[in-house]
Amino acid sequence: MAGLAGDGGCLMGFVNRSDSGKWKAFWREPSGKQRSKTFATKREALTFLAQAETSKSGGVYVSPHAGRTLFGDHAWAWMDSWNNEATTVARDTSIMRTHVLPKWGDWQLGKIDHLSVQAWVTELTKTTLARSTVAECKRLTSGVLRSAVRNRLIGHNPADDVKVPRRRVHDTDDKIATRREVRDMILPATPDRYRALVATAAFSGLRWGEVIALCMDAVDLDAGNLQVIRTVIEVAGSTSFKPYPKSRAGRRTVPLPAWVVSEIRAHLERYPAEGPARMLFTNEAGGALRRTLFRARIWRPTLVRAGLLGHLERNGDRFEATWTGRAGDAHTTIWERERDAVIEIARNQFGGLTFHDLRHSYGTWLADDGVPVNKLQRVMGHENVTTTLKFYVRKTEDHDAILSALDDDPDDDGGGVLAAV
């Protein structure tokens, strides 16, 4: 028997030769539990014992047997420890169930390596998954493995330095509507019950959950402003109030244009704020609006009628619906009723202005009109000014200003910027 001596000469580990001729190392974990492992040579066994004692004294000991824990088992334990917002938990749990656990659930933690994780992420990018979803898959996988490292189940995180392809900008990303498009095209095409909602969202910059959560105690029509003091969250098809906004900066007062105030007054005359909460905007049953249903049934059909999504044309007594798919392929169908043609385009047309793009549009209008960035940050409810600078400051392409700087005037006799060169 050979062993390692610690302080005072006490035995901290030893090796024995088995009947098969191999060497078995014995040691005690920090918990006091004795462990053993078999090696081909005595040198390997003693080297392992030395490394184990060094890692124990350094506080970084990881049991060689701990890696047998299944990824799925640790993932569920990790998720049970979350104390995130309900919407965040619902989103991450959905991604974990749908994409991460089907791949890694039955893998032992110790057998997951960097190459396997990178190959999986690369394969995901070749599917129809959005780049943002792929990034979330990688983030959650890394989170489970990072937790395993912290809990001494594995020695390192094999997801470290795994690369996710950069998200590409598409023509459908972050569309900006002009004020004319909102007032003259979108609002006239919006169903009467929801016209004031769209006007308020577009000309206050509120997030979906913030504008849906507006109750009469947060609206001062005489002063012409509203307060963001709560939000509505939607989890698994159910809505509920959250008695505070997204962040501390989200609690704010926002001024309203006089014509939007008039729209809200007219809305309240037709659809009074009733019930215990006295919500300003509700569905036909008087409850909180659900984002997914509003998008499918109200918002996208409105864009079709406004001429901002697909193409709808009357052809005699029938209606021709034309839309473009994700790959750019065009489709045309004929319908007896206009409503059916509108729904066909709304369901199938790729991209289009989103309801959240109204918020982007609002911020861009203010930035392009020269509103100081600190005031823009406040009215948008941004926690960090860098968010304001990234998304809104001078975002639109002002071709007139560029051509003016170049003095692009065919009637000019050669003066201006270029003539001075």
Side-chain angles (χ1 to χ4, degrees):
M1 179 179 72
L4 295 176
D7 294 339
C10 67
L11 194 64
M12 304 186 75
F14 62 92
V15 297
N16 275 338
R17 190 167 190 173
S18 64
D19 294 338
S20 64
K22 294 185 177 181
W23 293 83
K24 198 168 188 177
F26 296 85
W27 75 98
R28 289 193 180 277
E29 294 187 327
S31 63
K33 186 175 183 178
Q34 181 170 289
R35 293 287 191 179
S36 64
K37 187 175 182 180
T38 302
F39 297 87
T41 66
K42 181 179 180 180
R43 177 185 293 273
E44 290 176 349
L46 290 174
T47 298
F48 172 80
L49 286 180
Q51 292 172 343
E53 295 304 328
T54 299
S55 64
K56 283 196 294 182
S57 62
V60 293
Y61 173 81
V62 176
S63 171
H65 304 293
R68 296 175 182 173
T69 301
L70 296 183
F71 179 99
D73 292 340
H74 189 70
W76 285 119
W78 178 61
M79 287 188 285
D80 287 341
S81 72
W82 287 348
N83 59 357
N84 299 325
E85 294 284 354
T87 51
T88 302
V89 172
R91 178 201 65 199
D92 289 353
T93 301
S94 176
I95 294 175
M96 185 73 79
R97 288 177 181 274
T98 306
H99 303 294
V100 178
L101 291 179
K103 170 62 179 180
W104 302 112
D106 294 331
W107 281 58
Q108 292 183 6
L109 290 169
K111 292 187 177 181
I112 299 176
D113 56 74
H114 180 274
L115 183 61
S116 298
V117 179
Q118 182 63 76
W120 174 63
V121 170
T122 301
E123 188 63 29
L124 286 180
T125 63
K126 298 177 182 178
T127 67
T128 57
L129 285 182
R131 288 291 188 271
S132 57
T133 304
V134 175
E136 289 299 296
C137 290
K138 187 261 182 179
R139 179 182 65 83
L140 290 171
T141 301
S142 183
V144 175
L145 296 172
R146 190 182 306 113
S147 174
V149 172
R150 290 173 177 170
N151 287 279
R152 302 288 191 267
L153 298 178
I154 52 178
H156 70 284
N157 184 352
D160 283 346
D161 300 323
V162 167
K163 294 182 179 179
V164 177
R166 184 177 300 175
R167 185 177 184 272
R168 303 300 180 185
V169 177
H170 300 280
D171 289 341
T172 57
D173 292 344
D174 294 339
K175 286 185 172 295
I176 303 299
T178 66
R179 275 165 278 206
R180 186 193 67 80
E181 286 175 331
V182 175
R183 293 196 65 173
D184 299 343
M185 300 173 70
I186 295 178
L187 289 180
T190 304
D192 182 75
R193 185 182 189 93
Y194 307 105
R195 190 170 300 133
L197 163 64
V198 175
T200 302
F203 287 86
S204 68
L206 267 60
R207 302 175 177 92
W208 167 264
E210 294 172 342
V211 72
I212 296 306
L214 285 174
C215 298
M216 292 307 298
D217 64 343
V219 180
D220 188 340
L221 297 180
D222 293 332
N225 62 47
L226 54 83
Q227 292 182 308
V228 180
I229 57 178
R230 61 177 69 90
T231 187
V232 165
I233 59 175
E234 181 178 338
V235 178
S238 298
T239 58
S240 61
F241 275 113
K242 186 172 71 173
Y244 49 86
K246 182 177 181 181
S247 65
R248 180 176 299 179
R251 186 178 292 274
R252 62 199 188 277
T253 300
V254 181
L256 293 172
W259 71 269
V260 174
V261 173
S262 298
E263 285 281 350
I264 295 176
R265 290 188 187 278
H267 172 82
L268 289 172
E269 290 179 2
R270 293 187 293 270
Y271 312 102
E274 300 175 337
R278 299 189 68 204
M279 296 179 68
L280 186 59
F281 305 117
T282 63
N283 57 28
E284 294 181 357
L289 289 160
R290 289 174 54 188
R291 186 170 191 163
T292 49
L293 293 181
F294 183 85
R295 176 183 181 273
R297 299 177 181 179
I298 307 298
W299 179 248
R300 286 179 66 84
T302 292
L303 295 180
V304 175
R305 291 190 295 269
L308 297 175
L309 190 70
H311 182 69
L312 177 66
E313 184 176 348
R314 183 160 194 151
N315 189 349
D317 294 333
R318 297 190 293 178
F319 297 87
E320 187 175 284
T322 302
W323 75 94
T324 305
R326 179 183 292 270
D329 47 327
H331 303 268
T332 300
T333 55
I334 304 296
W335 297 86
E336 297 291 337
R337 297 191 305 171
E338 180 182 21
R339 179 178 179 275
D340 294 331
V342 168
I343 293 175
E344 179 79 357
I345 297 172
R347 285 177 177 173
N348 297 291
Q349 172 66 44
F350 177 65
L353 192 76
T354 68
F355 191 88
H356 192 71
D357 285 335
L358 295 178
R359 172 174 165 82
H360 286 310
S361 300
Y362 173 82
T364 302
W365 300 337
L366 298 184
D368 285 349
D369 285 347
V371 173
V373 67
N374 62 315
K375 294 183 179 179
L376 181 56
Q377 176 192 2
R378 176 61 181 163
V379 78
M380 296 301 295
H382 288 154
E383 194 81 8
N384 197 316
V385 71
T386 56
T387 304
T388 311
L389 292 168
K390 177 181 178 182
F391 286 106
Y392 301 114
V393 175
R394 296 293 174 185
K395 184 174 182 179
T396 54
E397 298 176 349
D398 193 344
H399 291 170
D400 291 338
I402 295 172
L403 294 177
S404 177
L406 295 173
D407 199 24
D408 189 16
D409 185 353
D411 297 326
D412 196 1
D413 58 5
V417 177
L418 296 181
V421 177

